[in-house]
């Protein structure tokens, strides 16, 4: 179970960040190309140990940040 978490969390985090960055930058028009690039980058990222250690060190702060941003956006929309 621990192995799955140590592989899945950096994979999903990197996949989301790369896909979001490609989507915002609008470099490619095709969503499949963006997804393929994001998947390849995420697969490469889980093999690089310093990056996974960095993701695990930054993930709690990022989670708190995204929760605060979500609630701020929720309260502003009300």
């Amino acid at each position: 179970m621990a192995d799955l978490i140590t592989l899945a969390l950096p994979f999903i985090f990197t996949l989301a960040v790369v896909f979001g960055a490609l989507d915002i930058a609008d470099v490619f028009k095709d969503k499949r190309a963006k997804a393929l690039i994001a998947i390849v980058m995420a697969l490469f990222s889980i093999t690089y140990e310093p990056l996974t250690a960095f993701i695990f060190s930054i993930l709690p702060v990022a989670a708190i940040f995204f929760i605060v941003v979500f609630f701020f956006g929720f309260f502003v929309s009300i």
Side-chain angles (χ1 to χ4, degrees):
M1 183 69 177
D3 258 355
L4 180 64
I5 291 173
T6 58
L7 290 177
L9 282 178
F11 178 81
I12 293 171
F13 186 76
T14 308
L15 179 75
V17 168
V18 171
F19 186 80
L22 287 173
D23 199 35
I24 289 173
D26 205 26
V27 177
F28 302 101
K29 302 295 182 199
D30 190 16
K31 291 265 188 193
R32 292 178 294 182
K34 295 176 191 176
L36 183 63
I37 292 170
I39 289 171
V40 169
M41 291 293 291
L43 285 173
F44 282 143
S45 73
I46 61 174
T47 62
Y48 188 57
E49 186 62 34
L51 182 63
T52 58
F54 174 73
I55 289 173
F56 273 110
S57 69
I58 200 82
L59 208 53
V61 176
I64 292 170
F65 174 74
F66 287 129
I67 290 171
V68 168
V69 168
F70 170 77
F71 280 116
F72 181 72
F74 180 73
F75 287 129
V76 167
S77 69
I78 291 178

